[in-house]
Amino acid sequence: MSQTDADILASLTRYAPFDMVPAAALEALGPSLTRIVAETGQTLSYEGERLEALLVIESGSVEIETDGSGPVALRGPGDVIGERGLLRLGRATLTARVAEDAVLIRLPKERFYDLIDDVPSFAAWFQRASPARPADSGADAAGLTALKVSDLMTRTPVTCPVGAEVRDVARLMRAKGISSVILMEGETPAGIVTVRDLANKVLAEGLDGTTPVARVMTSDLITIAPDALGLDALMRLADHNISHLPVAEGGRIVGLIGRTDLFRQQAATASHMIADIVDAGSAAEMARVVAQVPSLLAQLVSAGAGASAITRRITDITDAITRRLLVLAEAELGPPPVPYLWLACGSQGRREQTGQSDQDNCLILDDAFEPGQDAYFLALAAFVSDGLHACGFVYCPGDMMATNPRWRQPRRVWRDYFAGWIAQPDNQAQMLASVMFDLRPIHGDTALFRDLQAETLAMARRNSIFVAHMVSNSLKHTPPLGLLRGFALIRSGEHKDTVDLKHSGVVPVVDLGRVYALRGELQAVNTRERLEAAREAGVISKAGAHDLIDAYDFIAETRLRHQAAQIRAGARPDNFMPPAQLSELERNHLRDAFMVIKTMQSSAGQGRGVMG
């Protein structure tokens, strides 16, 4: 270590939490640390700026500011700058500006994350420093203190007979793309060998490939139980300076968990994923981020986050992808010839996406639009729609996309659409109106939609025939209730003996929410928010709203738990659940939830003033 490195380290270890870091880990940090001299008035980071390092103040002072409100804090020697941003979106949460000439130590973000990953006391210090978050805020609820090892582990660890040679294990690692193998003696685990073992105990010692792997394996296996917490696993790995832990239950190896699994979980949060999407340069890069969404869903379910929080976070990711694709499209095509607004409808519009979603979108163009300009907007729509499809949000089967010229029109045409559907509410008009009442602006000139939404709600509410059609439409999806408190199961086909939690459970409430929003001219788009707004506006009784919200939450959470279980089992998530997989108590709750929906549908169908 150079004298400069040693000097910086000596200064750094005067401050918490660096005084908690083991000497070996500190020594490894040395070459990555640098000093920065900053003059009064110099800005170290702007709010929202991508952070590349953690800063530790050696001397001088730094003001922390928020846009428009001036300084909110003054930090001096020993204080750190950027920790909250690095642990959240990867971007500065506030602006940091030098108040008095300062000297700072710069720790690259990669080394900061290494310390968080490898030194539990260091990680715990920053967790204590972070402000508390409501349990149901949902953004990053699935921390290592909430998730079990069983939620994070690899369930099919690769094994090899203990009598194998080193080269056999090396070839197996290469073929499987893994860094550790569990060695078995019959049905009993005998040890573990890792890439680190091959480097330190084989190559470094000059041994050849015919060396028995038993000679270099770690035979005194340290294991962990599947119901232990992720944080327990992290601490055990750090305490024993190892990179992998076999997961054992009843003397049998049921999985494997490593530092990479834990670090991946820390990174696989909605906040980190959105930060990566904002920096992505192509749909292919975004697709790699979206591949983590099923894991995020399963982790949030395991952490106990509410259904609304989970679907909101998943939709936030889709919104970020859509906005980034629009920015990339404009960079390729040039500025738009007239202002436009990209809107989402369907589950994305309502912020209710789960592990299985297609795309539904449209474009509202400024009334200055001329037909000759449509080539630009067709190319824009195709770029975004193709990008969403590449990310797993498949093309809408009903062609409800901005690539369809019908859904890519000037504002005046959209006003005519809504007026026509309301004046002549036939079946197709009802279907289109139902979808379009869920519109939500994503990117562009929001003024193109703001008044249009209010005008349409007022126009629709005044047309009693249209309202009656909307009510009738809301009764088409019925809860799957059979005789004698049983379920009406799907009788044949691929999904035999299941209930469809989407079309028979969630969709009926979504449809009722639209009716309530129409009757009360409520501009909320999210279903749960519509129910709450309808209760406050007196559109439905407080008791009816309470029961319906509880029923909706229970069905939505049951659906997400079903999808999370499928994801953990390596299956594609769907909405078809066999009631037999629930406990008797859960089945009773599910039947009660369906009964509430049926009661509220009956109330809506009878046209009561204050329903429920």
Side-chain angles (χ1 to χ4, degrees):
M1 183 188 302
S2 71
Q3 185 60 43
T4 300
D5 292 344
D7 178 53
I8 296 176
L9 275 177
S11 178
L12 189 64
T13 53
R14 290 188 290 133
Y15 309 122
F18 296 95
D19 56 351
M20 307 175 187
V21 178
L26 279 173
E27 186 172 351
L29 284 182
S32 66
L33 299 172
T34 53
R35 271 198 175 97
I36 297 173
V37 177
E39 298 180 351
T40 301
Q42 181 177 334
T43 301
L44 299 173
S45 57
Y46 287 98
E47 184 173 344
E49 179 184 348
R50 187 79 168 172
L51 294 171
E52 298 300 329
L54 183 82
L55 300 178
V56 182
I57 303 173
E58 274 195 283
S59 64
S61 60
V62 176
E63 284 183 338
I64 306 301
E65 305 175 358
T66 183
D67 286 352
S69 300
V72 296
L74 184 67
R75 296 187 180 177
D79 288 334
V80 293
I81 307 292
E83 74 283 7
R84 285 183 173 82
L86 288 171
L87 291 171
R88 290 187 181 180
L89 288 169
R91 297 179 180 275
T93 57
L94 297 167
T95 296
R97 185 169 288 110
V98 177
E100 179 186 0
D101 289 356
V103 177
L104 307 102
I105 298 173
R106 182 184 187 277
L107 174 66
K109 65 180 181 181
E110 294 81 8
R111 303 289 77 77
F112 174 66
Y113 291 140
D114 286 343
L115 289 175
I116 290 287
D117 192 34
D118 293 341
V119 184
S121 57
F122 186 87
W125 192 91
F126 281 102
Q127 285 179 342
R128 287 195 298 271
S130 298
R133 300 172 65 89
D136 200 39
S137 65
D140 299 319
L144 297 184
T145 57
L147 291 173
K148 294 181 178 179
V149 167
S150 57
D151 298 320
L152 303 168
M153 69 185 187
T154 300
R155 293 183 176 273
T156 53
V158 176
T159 63
C160 184
V162 72
E165 296 178 344
V166 163
R167 61 186 174 188
D168 299 325
V169 174
R171 288 168 181 166
L172 183 59
M173 288 182 179
R174 181 180 63 184
K176 298 288 186 180
I178 55 177
S179 58
S180 66
V181 171
I182 295 177
L183 302 170
M184 305 293 292
E185 190 166 10
E187 297 297 318
T188 305
I192 186 171
V193 65
T194 67
V195 168
R196 184 189 299 180
D197 293 327
L198 298 183
N200 295 340
K201 299 178 182 179
V202 179
L203 292 177
E205 296 298 328
L207 302 180
D208 62 33
T210 62
T211 302
V213 72
R215 180 176 169 182
V216 299
M217 72 180 183
T218 300
S219 56
D220 187 15
L221 277 182
I222 299 168
T223 64
I224 194 166
D227 60 353
L229 295 177
L231 185 61
D232 296 332
L234 181 62
M235 294 179 68
R236 195 164 300 183
L237 289 167
D239 289 345
H240 295 278
N241 193 28
I242 55 178
S243 56
H244 297 82
L245 276 174
V247 183
E249 186 173 36
R252 187 170 60 90
I253 300 298
V254 296
L256 185 73
I257 189 166
R259 288 184 180 180
T260 53
D261 298 309
L262 297 166
F263 183 75
R264 188 182 302 116
Q265 192 283 324
Q266 289 175 316
T269 64
S271 297
H272 283 82
M273 291 165 71
I274 289 171
D276 289 340
I277 288 164
V278 168
D279 288 340
S282 68
E285 290 181 34
M286 286 180 257
R288 288 193 286 273
V289 178
V290 176
Q292 302 173 65
V293 167
S295 175
L296 174 67
L297 184 151
Q299 290 167 6
L300 288 172
V301 168
S302 296
S308 294
I310 295 172
T311 56
R312 173 63 182 267
R313 292 304 164 235
I314 293 174
T315 307
D316 285 346
I317 292 168
T318 311
D319 288 355
I321 292 168
T322 307
R323 293 187 185 104
R324 183 59 180 160
L325 287 168
L326 285 162
V327 169
L328 293 175
E330 288 190 27
E332 181 174 303
L333 301 172
V338 296
Y340 72 87
L341 179 63
W342 184 282
L343 303 97
C345 43
S347 60
Q348 184 185 357
R350 297 190 306 275
R351 288 193 173 104
E352 294 169 8
Q353 288 188 305
T354 67
Q356 185 186 48
S357 297
D358 58 9
Q359 56 175 288
D360 299 280
N361 46 65
C362 63
L363 271 171
I364 297 179
L365 309 175
D366 189 273
D367 281 339
F369 169 82
E370 297 178 358
Q373 298 166 332
D374 188 53
Y376 177 94
F377 290 107
L378 173 58
L380 180 88
F383 187 102
V384 177
S385 185
D386 290 347
L388 287 169
H389 185 80
C391 289
F393 302 99
V394 298
Y395 301 123
C396 174
D399 203 20
M400 187 73 68
M401 298 182 295
T403 49
N404 182 338
R406 187 178 188 184
W407 312 128
R408 187 178 69 248
Q409 292 291 337
R411 174 185 163 90
R412 62 179 180 276
V413 175
W414 280 99
R415 183 182 281 112
D416 290 343
Y417 281 167
F418 283 113
W421 295 335
I422 292 166
Q424 296 183 330
D426 58 21
N427 288 338
Q428 185 184 32
Q430 282 301 304
M431 184 274 291
L432 295 172
S434 295
V435 173
M436 293 305 171
F437 276 149
D438 294 346
L439 285 175
R440 181 171 58 87
I442 301 296
H443 181 83
D445 185 355
T446 56
L448 292 171
F449 180 67
R450 190 178 304 121
D451 295 335
L452 184 61
Q453 183 187 31
E455 288 173 13
T456 302
L457 282 170
M459 186 192 315
R461 186 175 184 273
R462 290 193 297 267
N463 188 318
S464 59
I465 297 176
F466 180 82
V467 173
H469 274 274
M470 283 289 287
V471 172
S472 176
N473 188 62
S474 73
L475 306 180
K476 290 180 179 178
H477 295 98
T478 57
L481 290 170
L483 298 175
L484 303 176
R485 287 185 59 80
F487 294 104
L489 304 179
I490 296 173
R491 295 182 178 180
S492 61
E494 179 185 358
H495 304 298
K496 186 176 183 293
D497 295 332
T498 67
V499 293
D500 184 344
L501 292 172
K502 177 181 178 181
H503 290 100
S504 298
V506 171
V507 168
V509 186
V510 171
D511 291 339
L512 284 172
R514 289 196 195 100
V515 171
Y516 302 152
L518 177 60
R519 286 186 165 170
E521 293 186 39
L522 310 172
Q523 296 191 23
V525 175
N526 175 267
T527 297
R528 201 177 194 282
E529 291 173 3
R530 279 173 168 166
L531 301 181
E532 292 171 344
R535 177 186 60 199
E536 298 307 312
V539 176
I540 51 177
S541 69
K542 284 184 166 49
H546 177 82
D547 289 345
L548 189 56
I549 290 170
D550 281 353
Y552 177 68
D553 285 347
F554 185 80
I555 294 168
E557 288 166 8
T558 301
R559 178 190 184 196
L560 288 172
R561 286 198 302 271
H562 167 67
Q563 292 187 354
Q566 290 178 308
I567 290 165
R568 293 190 200 101
R572 181 179 177 83
D574 63 26
N575 299 297
F576 300 96
M577 186 198 71
Q581 77 181 28
L582 300 176
S583 69
E584 182 62 30
L585 180 62
E586 289 171 324
R587 288 196 295 272
N588 285 334
H589 284 327
L590 188 59
R591 280 192 293 263
D592 289 344
F594 287 147
M595 185 59 69
V596 168
I597 296 172
K598 185 175 181 179
T599 301
M600 296 301 288
Q601 285 182 323
S602 176
S603 178
Q606 293 170 17
R608 299 177 192 168
V610 177
M611 295 179 286

